[in-house]
Amino acid sequence: MADVHPEQAQLQADRIYLGWQYVLLHPDPGPPPKRPSPFVEPQRESKPDPELVRRERMQEDLLNRPVKIFRTFMAALAVLILGAAVAGALNWSFAIIGLVAAGGVAAICSYAVLQGDRAVRYRVQEQQARDDRVRQERDRELFRAQEEHAERYREWQELKDRHDRQLTWYAVAVPDEIDRVDVAGGTLPGWSALVTLLGATRLYSGGHLTVLDLSEGAIAKDLIELARRGGDDPLVWVLPVDLPKLDLGATLKPEAFADVLAHVVSVSEEHRTTRDLSFDNAILERVLDVLGENATIAQVTAALRALAQVGDPRDDLRYGLITAEQLERIGTMFGRGVSDRVVIERAWALESQLRKLETLGTEAVRLPPARLRVVSMDRQAGVFGNRVLGTYVATALTHILRQSPASDRPWYHTIIVAGADKLRGDVLDRLMDACETSRTGLVLTYRSLTPTVRERLGRGHAAVAFMRLGNAEDARVASEHVGTEHRLELAQLTETISASVAGLNGTPYTSTIDQVEEGVEERADSGTDLKEDITESTEWGRTADKIGEKERVLQRSREFLVEPHQLQQLPTTSVIVTDATAEGRRVRLADANPAILTFPRTTLGELEQVREAVLGMDEPADPEEPPPNLGPPPQRLDWRKKG
């Protein structure tokens, strides 16, 4: 049987890789068959057995003893008769008759003794012949047993070779026909592994990636180092420090900009209705209409202060945020009277929220194109302020996607939102719809299954992935979603490595905007190897040697049912992936550890593809049928190679 070499399965741009599945297509055949033991006989020459001869002689002597005594008596009688005849005491006629009679009886007895000796020899020879036949039959049986053992050993050796050469880790991927991947549960190290693997494979396929990290855990740090080693210059914004250099949303029309700001304000009001949003949107649209196009957030907040009659508008006039004409128009925009109280209250609320974004884009610079963009929140900033910033980025991305034409290739641009449960449900809905219409890939990771998340988990054409869920209620909901009847196989290596590798070094992001502004030396556009890059530039890859050594030793696994207590103690990098196909719903257990790609027995092919190829090789070859196609010949995993 020809083996399916790992590199014969290439990275496919139309697959979204989420991890590696541990499966042994050829089970361990166990110990080799035991060699048959020959019957060991005592070494002797080909003479009769002396013991047997002695026993036969003794038995024959016992039987012939009366005959021999009678023969001796007859012989003595014949001698006596002969002596009497010679001495003249007996007539010779009678003596001759006596001699003939005594001699005849003695001869008969001698013949009987001779026949007994012959019988002894015959029995000894017969027993020896039987022993020879038994020995020959035993030798033939031993020869047959040795031949059968040799055949069984050859079969065992073939099974052992298949077991030793077989692939053990298969790619777990979903087709790019799906619109979204929802990841429920997980820890920061687990998210780091998943984002690194998913992002590296998308970038290697020639795509573009945007990461909105709301987790405050720097989960994309390994991915940034990996992209930098691969020859890219990723752009990293750390908000709110880099807020002045963030130009996201600067090209939006006033109507779209007003909608973005209205959703930003709604962060602090979880139970706001569509009517409240439309009311805020109307206020902001009118304010932006007064300020004109290209209005900044600082100008909007100055206009809102004037509308809410907060502070001295002359200060804003002096700083040039608004003009006297704009101030007059704002004062008469909604009329005057008691009915303005609602407008004043909403304008005040809008100003108090939007002032956190006043520095947005004030120092924007022209940035070079980058295939990896990361927008993160500084963990030193306030929790509420980070939610405001995250909502702004997500909503601005939504409007940019809505204004962009649909991509020719799905998932060519991928957006990852880590900690999406910090966004409002309507913000998520709009982002999902925008990504679906523009054919942009979307990955949402949720730390917990809140009611808002449960309503949207797996909605539409989406794949769902479950990682460790420490909360008992979340684990129960996840087990019901997957189905408790499914039995999954968990590799011992996954449990061992997840317990020993942290996956995160705890260091925060480093902004690259200042470096780009100051000018960074261009990197040579040279081909690099993805496996080497993972090994050299990621926390997971730097332990690849140790992991690889354990992978050669730890080839055991255990099965478990998808029950709540099992989901609560999943290893850090374990991912249960569920998706719908034409053949039905699939449930697979994967390990998102990116270092598994560097193992010698890891393939980028999926289990179904490799199994079909292996089964095709095991069947007898048809001379008229071409051999199964295993893909193109091996090649380097070039980071810069476009998919």
Side-chain angles (χ1 to χ4, degrees):
M1 180 191 111
D3 192 19
V4 182
H5 201 269
E7 282 81 6
Q8 288 180 325
Q10 301 297 319
L11 190 66
Q12 302 180 31
D14 61 348
R15 290 291 184 269
I16 315 303
Y17 293 88
L18 300 176
W20 316 98
Q21 183 179 8
Y22 180 83
V23 175
L24 293 179
L25 293 179
H26 303 288
D28 189 352
K34 188 177 180 181
R35 183 181 180 86
S37 300
F39 176 75
V40 180
E41 294 183 319
Q43 298 292 332
R44 63 171 181 267
E45 299 179 358
S46 59
K47 295 181 179 180
D49 186 2
E51 183 64 23
L52 175 63
V53 174
R54 186 184 66 80
R55 289 197 305 269
E56 293 292 338
R57 290 290 184 189
M58 182 180 296
Q59 183 178 4
E60 189 64 28
D61 289 343
L62 291 176
L63 293 175
N64 291 337
R65 182 174 296 175
V67 178
K68 290 180 178 181
I69 294 174
F70 189 68
R71 184 187 62 176
T72 303
F73 175 74
M74 288 293 106
L77 179 62
V79 172
L80 182 62
I81 293 173
L82 180 61
V86 172
L90 183 65
N91 192 359
W92 279 101
S93 58
F94 290 105
I96 293 173
I97 295 173
L99 288 173
V100 171
V105 172
I108 293 173
C109 291
S110 298
Y111 181 76
V113 172
L114 181 61
Q115 287 295 100
D117 293 339
R118 290 178 178 177
V120 169
R121 289 194 298 272
Y122 177 78
R123 287 196 298 271
V124 171
Q125 293 174 357
E126 185 66 21
Q127 182 64 37
Q128 185 178 3
R130 285 197 299 269
D131 292 343
D132 291 340
R133 287 193 298 271
V134 170
R135 187 181 304 106
Q136 293 173 1
E137 181 64 24
R138 188 182 297 117
D139 291 341
R140 286 193 294 269
E141 291 179 357
L142 177 62
F143 181 74
R144 287 195 298 269
Q146 290 176 342
E147 285 187 335
E148 293 176 359
H149 170 265
E151 181 64 24
R152 290 197 307 269
Y153 187 85
R154 285 191 294 269
E155 294 176 356
W156 174 87
Q157 187 65 47
E158 182 179 357
L159 295 176
K160 184 66 174 176
D161 292 341
R162 290 184 182 182
H163 173 267
D164 293 340
R165 296 196 316 266
Q166 71 177 328
L167 304 172
T168 56
W169 294 95
Y170 301 85
V172 174
V174 293
D176 61 359
E177 300 171 356
I178 66 170
D179 301 323
R180 190 178 72 257
V181 176
D182 293 334
V183 182
T187 61
L188 292 179
W191 283 3
S192 173
L194 182 62
V195 169
T196 302
L197 172 62
L198 194 151
T201 53
R202 296 316 302 162
L203 290 173
Y204 167 74
S205 300
H208 292 247
L209 187 67
T210 299
V211 179
L212 175 56
D213 188 1
L214 305 179
S215 67
E216 303 178 7
I219 62 170
K221 191 172 181 60
D222 279 347
L223 178 60
I224 294 171
E225 296 298 327
L226 185 61
R228 184 175 290 114
R229 180 177 176 84
D232 281 332
D233 286 321
L235 298 178
V236 181
W237 288 268
V238 180
L239 304 182
V241 178
D242 291 331
L243 194 60
K245 300 181 179 63
L246 181 67
D247 59 351
L248 186 64
T251 59
L252 293 177
K253 296 181 179 179
E255 297 80 4
F257 196 42
D259 182 74
V260 171
L261 298 181
H263 276 82
V264 170
V265 174
S266 66
V267 171
S268 61
E269 302 171 356
E270 294 290 342
H271 303 288
R272 296 196 68 198
T273 63
T274 305
R275 178 179 177 274
D276 297 329
L277 284 173
S278 61
F279 188 70
D280 290 347
N281 190 45
I283 295 176
L284 290 169
E285 280 187 355
R286 296 190 180 186
V287 169
L288 289 172
D289 183 61
V290 171
L291 297 176
E293 295 186 0
N294 301 324
T296 64
I297 301 291
Q299 291 176 312
V300 173
T301 55
L304 290 174
R305 283 194 294 270
L307 183 61
Q309 302 176 10
V310 177
D312 190 352
R314 290 176 296 182
D315 294 337
D316 295 329
L317 289 172
R318 185 165 53 253
Y319 292 125
L321 297 177
I322 57 175
T323 63
E325 180 183 356
Q326 292 172 345
L327 181 60
E328 182 179 356
R329 290 181 60 187
I330 291 172
T332 59
M333 190 165 48
F334 290 95
R336 300 189 180 280
V338 179
S339 60
D340 298 338
R341 181 174 302 172
V342 177
V343 176
I344 292 174
E345 290 178 355
R346 290 311 308 160
W348 197 351
L350 291 171
E351 191 275 338
S352 64
Q353 301 297 335
L354 295 180
R355 65 187 308 171
K356 298 179 177 62
L357 300 174
E358 282 186 340
T359 60
L360 176 68
T362 56
E363 301 176 11
V365 295
R366 186 178 182 84
L367 300 175
R371 292 199 297 143
L372 174 60
R373 298 175 177 86
V374 178
V375 181
S376 64
M377 307 300 145
D378 190 353
R379 67 181 67 174
Q380 302 297 330
V383 176
F384 180 74
N386 282 348
R387 291 191 62 186
V388 170
L389 296 173
T391 302
Y392 173 80
V393 175
T395 312
L397 280 174
T398 300
H399 278 278
I400 293 175
L401 292 174
R402 289 169 60 88
Q403 297 175 6
S404 302
S407 174
D408 295 333
R409 193 180 95 187
W411 287 79
Y412 177 74
H413 181 208
T414 303
I415 297 177
I416 300 177
V417 181
D421 47 337
K422 297 182 180 180
L423 300 176
R424 283 172 52 94
D426 54 347
V427 175
L428 291 175
D429 292 338
R430 291 155 62 94
L431 180 59
M432 294 176 189
D433 295 340
C435 289
E436 181 178 355
T437 55
S438 63
R439 305 184 75 186
T440 299
L442 180 61
V443 179
L444 302 175
T445 66
Y446 305 102
R447 197 67 178 270
S448 60
L449 298 181
T450 62
T452 301
V453 174
R454 295 177 190 176
E455 294 175 3
R456 293 160 177 82
L457 194 65
R459 189 175 64 184
H461 192 15
V464 182
F466 293 97
M467 302 186 78
R468 179 188 294 177
L469 291 160
N471 182 271
E473 181 62 20
D474 290 348
R476 183 190 63 81
V477 173
S479 64
E480 293 177 355
H481 183 100
V482 176
T484 56
E485 73 278 5
H486 293 284
R487 186 179 296 274
L488 304 177
E489 184 177 4
L490 178 63
Q492 183 183 3
L493 178 71
T494 300
E495 296 183 288
T496 303
I497 300 304
S498 294
S500 60
V501 180
L504 287 175
N505 54 18
T507 58
Y509 289 110
T510 301
S511 173
T512 62
I513 305 303
D514 292 336
Q515 299 175 5
V516 172
E517 182 181 3
E518 296 171 0
V520 180
E521 295 183 2
E522 294 185 358
R523 298 177 181 270
D525 188 9
S526 58
T528 57
D529 188 271
L530 180 57
K531 293 183 178 181
E532 294 179 0
D533 292 344
I534 290 177
T535 303
E536 297 294 334
S537 61
T538 66
E539 289 291 332
W540 303 97
R542 279 188 279 271
T543 59
D545 293 339
K546 179 178 66 175
I547 297 175
E549 180 64 28
K550 292 185 177 182
E551 192 266 344
R552 289 187 290 271
V553 177
L554 301 178
Q555 293 189 11
R556 294 185 293 272
S557 61
R558 66 176 178 90
E559 292 185 343
F560 69 92
L561 293 173
V562 185
E563 297 177 343
H565 71 278
Q566 294 287 355
L567 297 181
Q568 289 180 277
Q569 56 188 12
L570 277 178
T572 303
T573 56
S574 291
V575 186
I576 300 177
V577 181
T578 65
D579 64 314
T581 63
E583 292 77 16
R585 184 164 170 265
R586 295 186 299 179
V587 177
R588 295 169 291 174
L589 178 65
D591 190 337
N593 189 342
I596 294 179
L597 178 61
T598 64
F599 291 173
R601 289 191 287 179
T602 298
T603 175
L604 289 167
E606 296 186 67
L607 176 62
E608 294 79 7
Q609 300 172 349
V610 178
R611 179 185 281 124
E612 291 176 0
V614 171
L615 293 179
M617 290 178 179
D618 289 338
E619 295 177 356
D622 188 353
E624 299 181 357
E625 182 179 355
N629 183 18
L630 295 178
Q635 65 181 22
R636 288 173 58 88
L637 295 176
D638 187 3
W639 172 273
R640 307 297 295 185
K641 180 180 179 296
K642 306 298 181 182

